[in-house]
Structures are given as structure tokens and as C-alpha cells.
Amino acid sequence: MHGTTPPLSKLPLQFSFLVDPPAPSCVDGLYLPRFVHPTPEDGQHINAEVNKEVEIRVRAQASHATLHDIIISGPLNIRKHRSTRGDFVIRWTPGPDDVGDHYPICFAVESVIDPASTLPPPTTIYYGYHSHVPQSPQSGIYQSEMRCVLVNIGQRLIESHVTCHESSMTVEVERSSLPGLHEDHLRLSDPSNTACNLQTKSNSTHIIAVVPLNACGTQIEEDEENLVFKNEITTVDNIHDLITRNHLLEVQFYCQYPKRGNVSQGFTAHRRNVVVWDKGFGKFTYEFEFYPDSQYGKIVDPGLYPLEYDVTERIYMQIEAKSTVNNTQLFVESCSAAPYDTPNYWPTYSIIENGCTVDQTVQVHPKANPREFRFSMEAFQFIGLHDQGAAAPGAHRGCINSPLTGHHHHRKREAITQSARHFISQGPLRLKRSAESTGSPGTPMKLNLVFIVGCLLAAVGMISAVALYKVRASKIKYQPLASFEN
């Protein structure tokens, strides 16, 4: 600055200059970025419409350096992106108040010699205001020439609407905004596919195109955040021609899909009822539910699963069979617990076996009808690293309480009619956190599934089990034959 130079301001200003190291060569395209097609020329006029996004694509080359960023200046709400192909894209959408105005947009591309050097976040200039963060002395930053274009804002000429779908784009153009043009002279980028014919969906008021994202000449671009699918409608002399000299219209449209998003997934822990059909029994449904107490009034809300219990807290359960056959009854033959919800998992912990209670805490409660079985037991925890468990009542015979006599028979009974076995389960259950438990406060806060209750069910004629059986006549009693009778 010379002493005769007029001051920049009457107010004192404090600023500093950062001088980058000299470029090894001033030839454009080596270290200094050089603009190439499709970058607009300096001073070029670009026509834009209200509420329609303007896109300026900038491409540069530097054979001995790495392109780093683009510096832009322009109206508010101007945005910039970099595609994975290396192009810089400047986007801006004029508003209704911008009609008749002219906005300059200027840009320059930066390159660096050392791509591994620490660089500042990209910066954006708004009408000349630009903060430049100092670089390390080892990193050289070079800039291309600055180019400026003038964007002229006019009224919207073509009324169109684009809807983005999961696998296609739908564009609707009002015919009234295209005077003198017919869909016979309009085409997409590639009309070879029959789905790309504009005459298929169009009607008397709109020209409609349903464009697949992977057909009709749709181009895909991407940047750090989005996938962009582009196509255009143009005027041609013949929709099958490769070239035209009657280029009167070009309607570009695109759909933008974010690469990242929030995805949620859930499942219902409560298991559904089991519906089966067996010959001689017809259709019947097994329901397995938990209850809060021995009154068996209302089931535990399925939305509360997985259910939480303290160790030794009593768990109330009910299995019910609903059948289309009259005079049927349900019996629980066996129940075993395992860390996983698999009927063939081994080893298992037996709770009820051959109709007899094995776990000392099991209690059988009075039932409301013959097709129910109510029982309870104290919650427990598997020893070791198992985080979950399963209990599986099965259809084993013996130690059965006969519904006809009301007595226990500790011997094998013969089945008159029996269905196939069916596995049913309900749960899961888990131990409460130690902070909520009544146990020792020193216990680590660990969630441990107690077990998932499961049943192997069978429908039988006169057999006690986790089973459904059918009484053939209420006044007839069946007795086993002696071994010598035929």
C-alpha cells in the first residue's frame, strides 16, 4: 500500500494477508485449475424461472494437483455440492420477489499440492465476503481464474410437477403451457422402451411421463449426501430420430434421494395363538398367556413383553384350547425350560414331566373349564452365560389326572383318540434390573431372560397331557383291557 492510496475506510481496520508459496508453474491445468466443459463461459447469461432450481455445473482439471473446493459468491440460499465424478454443482432457486432481477454468480476452483494436508471446511462467499483459514506452510493452495455468470429471472413459462417414487419419477406438464406442441414431437432422453412413450399416460390436460429410475435414458449422479436421477423432455421432429434441428423446448427434471436416513425396525415379543387341524378333532386353537395373579382375571398386556420378574417371584400361566369339537379337554403332560426357544434344545430343565410336577415350586390352580390348564411357578435364573431361556411343556404320558375320575394315576394310560403334537411357546421373560429388584443391591445391573415358556401339545381321546382330548359319551366309562383279553 502506498502512502498516497486513499484509505479503505474511515474506521480503523485490522486484517492480515496469507501468502501461499509460489506455484511451481503458472500454466493453467498443471497446478492452477483449468475450467473445461460444461463450465459456463465468463459473462454468460443464464435464464431462470421462479420457483425452478437453477443448476450451474463446474468442471476443472489440474494434472499436478488435487482439486479441493470451489469458492462461490451469489444470492442468499445459494448451495454447492460436489459429485462423485468430481464436478462442482451450484444450485439456487429464485423466489417470486426475484422476477425481473439479474443476479451475478461468481466462482473459482481451488487445488492443493498435498492432498493429505489438513484443510479447513469449505467456505461460501455471499457477495464478496469470504473468510480464508490459514493453511500449514507445507500445503500449497492455488486458485483458478474467477468466472461470473448473470442469472436473469423471469416468470415461470412451463407449469410442471414432479413426484418422486421408490423406483420411478412421474412428471406432469400442463398442455396449456406448451402451446402448439404435441406429445408426438416430445420425447424423453431414450424413448426406445415402450414404458418411455409419452402418449401412454398423457391426457387432454397434461403430458404425463412415468419414468423408471433405470430406464428411458435416466442419468444418475451422486454427491456426499444424495443420489440424483435426471431426465428431460425435449422437442424433436420425429421421436425416433437421433438428432434434431427443431430444438424448441427442454424440460429437465430430477429426483433426489438421500443416501442416509433413519431406519427403525421392531418386533412383537408376544407370540400369536397356534391354530391347528387334526383328523378327528377338526380345527382348534391353543392360547398361551401370562396373568398377574392367581385370580386369572385379565391377561398381562402383550405390549409389556418381555415380561420382567424378580427371582422367586411367582409366574402365573394359562393354556387354553378352543376347539370346534364338543366334549374336548386339555392336559399338560410335560414342561421343560431351556436357554433358547427351541423344542429340541438340550440340556433342558424339567418343570413338569410325564404329567408330574418336577420343579418343587409348581402349583396347579383351579380351572374355569375343562379346556384350560392353569399353573404357576417361581422365577429362576440359568447358571452360566445364558442370556435367555425357554420352557417347553410336552406331550408325554403318565402321572395324569383323569378328568373322568378326578384321581391321579401314576401309570401309563392308553389313548383312545390322539392328535399330532404341536409346539407352542410364549414369552420371553427376563429378570428385572438389580436396581429394581428386591435382591442384593450389590448385584450387577444385568438383564437376563428367565425363560420362554413353550408347550408340545397333543389332542387325545382319554389321555392326560398338555393335550386336547375328546369324550365320546358322558355316561360311558372306558377301562383298560386285561393283557389276556383279545
Side-chain angles (χ1 to χ4, degrees):
M1 303 286 286
H2 298 285
T4 58
T5 303
L8 298 176
S9 172
K10 293 182 179 181
L11 298 176
L13 298 177
Q14 293 183 355
F15 54 88
S16 62
F17 291 96
L18 174 66
V19 181
D20 288 317
S25 172
C26 291
V27 177
D28 289 341
L30 297 181
Y31 298 92
L32 306 181
R34 176 173 60 90
F35 290 121
V36 295
H37 180 78
T39 307
E41 297 294 332
D42 186 42
Q44 182 174 332
H45 286 240
I46 298 177
N47 295 324
E49 299 177 11
V50 173
N51 296 328
K52 185 177 181 181
E53 188 174 71
V54 180
E55 179 181 286
I56 302 173
R57 187 169 296 272
V58 178
R59 184 178 300 170
Q61 294 176 346
S63 59
H64 291 65
T66 302
L67 299 181
H68 164 54
D69 191 20
I70 185 172
I71 303 171
I72 61 174
S73 65
L76 292 174
N77 301 323
I78 193 171
R79 297 175 290 116
K80 61 179 180 180
H81 304 275
R82 188 173 187 180
S83 70
T84 53
R85 299 179 182 178
D87 293 351
F88 296 98
V89 181
I90 303 171
R91 293 191 175 103
W92 176 57
T93 303
D97 297 335
D98 298 321
V99 175
D101 290 339
H102 310 274
Y103 290 92
I105 296 178
C106 301
F107 52 87
V109 174
E110 287 185 333
S111 64
V112 294
I113 291 181
D114 182 13
S117 62
T118 302
L119 297 173
T123 55
T124 301
I125 309 172
Y126 294 110
Y127 283 116
Y129 292 95
H130 175 222
S131 60
H132 191 88
V133 179
Q135 306 299 312
S136 63
Q138 293 80 15
S139 63
I141 297 182
Y142 310 105
Q143 295 180 349
S144 68
E145 64 170 316
M146 178 167 286
R147 290 189 181 182
C148 295
V149 297
L150 191 64
V151 180
N152 306 314
I153 314 301
Q155 292 286 354
R156 189 160 184 165
L157 301 177
I158 300 175
E159 294 295 333
S160 61
H161 177 72
V162 179
T163 304
C164 301
H165 307 286
E166 183 176 348
S167 59
S168 64
M169 303 179 286
T170 299
V171 56
E172 302 176 58
V173 182
E174 294 185 9
R175 289 184 180 272
S176 58
S177 62
L178 301 173
L181 292 178
H182 193 269
E183 59 263 28
D184 291 342
H185 298 282
L186 298 173
R187 52 166 277 185
L188 296 169
S189 297
D190 181 8
S192 57
N193 192 322
T194 55
C196 309
N197 192 329
L198 296 178
Q199 301 182 33
T200 304
K201 303 290 184 179
S202 299
N203 54 40
S204 59
T205 60
H206 290 80
I207 294 175
I208 303 173
V210 179
V211 186
L213 298 181
N214 60 348
C216 305
T218 301
Q219 301 293 319
I220 179 174
E221 296 179 358
E222 61 176 314
D223 54 30
E224 295 85 354
E225 299 178 355
N226 300 289
L227 292 174
V228 182
F229 295 84
K230 295 184 175 183
N231 211 313
E232 64 180 15
I233 298 176
T234 57
T235 55
V236 293
D237 299 319
N238 188 304
I239 60 174
H240 301 292
D241 289 344
L242 185 61
I243 66 170
T244 182
R245 291 185 172 87
N246 187 26
H247 193 66
L248 303 178
L249 175 70
E250 184 178 275
V251 180
Q252 297 180 344
F253 57 93
Y254 71 90
C255 279
Q256 181 172 288
Y257 301 88
K259 288 183 177 180
R260 301 177 180 86
N262 296 325
V263 178
S264 61
Q265 185 178 17
F267 69 96
T268 302
H270 181 268
R271 286 158 169 74
R272 297 180 178 178
N273 299 335
V274 175
V275 180
V276 296
W277 186 90
D278 273 298
K279 184 177 181 181
F281 286 85
K283 177 181 177 182
F284 52 94
T285 303
Y286 290 116
E287 295 181 357
F288 201 155
E289 299 293 349
F290 290 86
Y291 288 79
D293 51 45
S294 60
Q295 300 300 316
Y296 289 91
K298 186 177 181 181
I299 66 172
V300 176
D301 184 2
L304 298 178
Y305 284 61
L307 306 182
E308 294 186 346
Y309 292 91
D310 290 317
V311 174
T312 72
E313 183 179 354
R314 187 154 291 277
I315 305 171
Y316 295 92
M317 295 162 277
Q318 173 181 292
I319 304 171
E320 182 179 3
K322 296 182 178 180
S323 174
T324 56
V325 179
N326 296 327
N327 299 324
T328 55
Q329 296 190 17
L330 174 71
F331 296 91
V332 172
E333 290 185 351
S334 62
C335 175
S336 59
Y340 302 100
D341 187 19
T342 305
N344 296 324
Y345 183 86
W346 188 90
T348 61
Y349 172 71
S350 294
I351 301 171
I352 300 174
E353 191 172 291
N354 294 327
C356 301
T357 60
V358 177
D359 184 277
Q360 296 179 355
T361 67
V362 173
Q363 295 179 2
V364 179
H365 301 277
K367 53 189 177 182
N369 61 71
R371 289 188 293 272
E372 292 179 351
F373 179 75
R374 294 173 175 177
F375 69 108
S376 66
M377 62 176 295
E378 292 182 1
F380 62 90
Q381 178 177 355
F382 283 99
I383 299 174
L385 299 179
H386 301 295
D387 290 333
Q388 60 182 7
H396 305 289
R397 303 176 185 176
C399 198
I400 306 300
N401 183 15
S402 171
L404 301 179
T405 64
H407 300 293
H408 289 278
H409 301 269
H410 294 272
R411 61 182 178 83
K412 185 175 179 180
R413 297 286 304 274
E414 299 299 330
I416 302 302
T417 307
Q418 178 175 324
S419 71
R421 294 182 176 184
H422 306 282
F423 180 78
I424 183 173
S425 63
Q426 189 57 274
L429 299 88
R430 66 183 183 185
L431 297 183
K432 292 182 179 178
R433 296 179 184 270
S434 59
E436 303 169 1
S437 175
T438 58
S440 173
T443 305
M445 293 184 66
K446 176 184 178 182
L447 288 179
N448 190 330
L449 293 181
V450 180
F451 56 80
I452 300 174
V453 181
C455 300
L456 276 172
L457 305 179
V460 299
M462 292 185 64
I463 288 295
S464 305
V466 170
L468 192 69
Y469 85 91
K470 179 168 57 177
V471 180
R472 301 186 176 225
S474 59
K475 296 183 179 180
I476 299 177
K477 295 184 179 181
Y478 293 91
Q479 297 180 352
L481 297 175
S483 58
F484 59 84
E485 294 183 14
N486 296 322

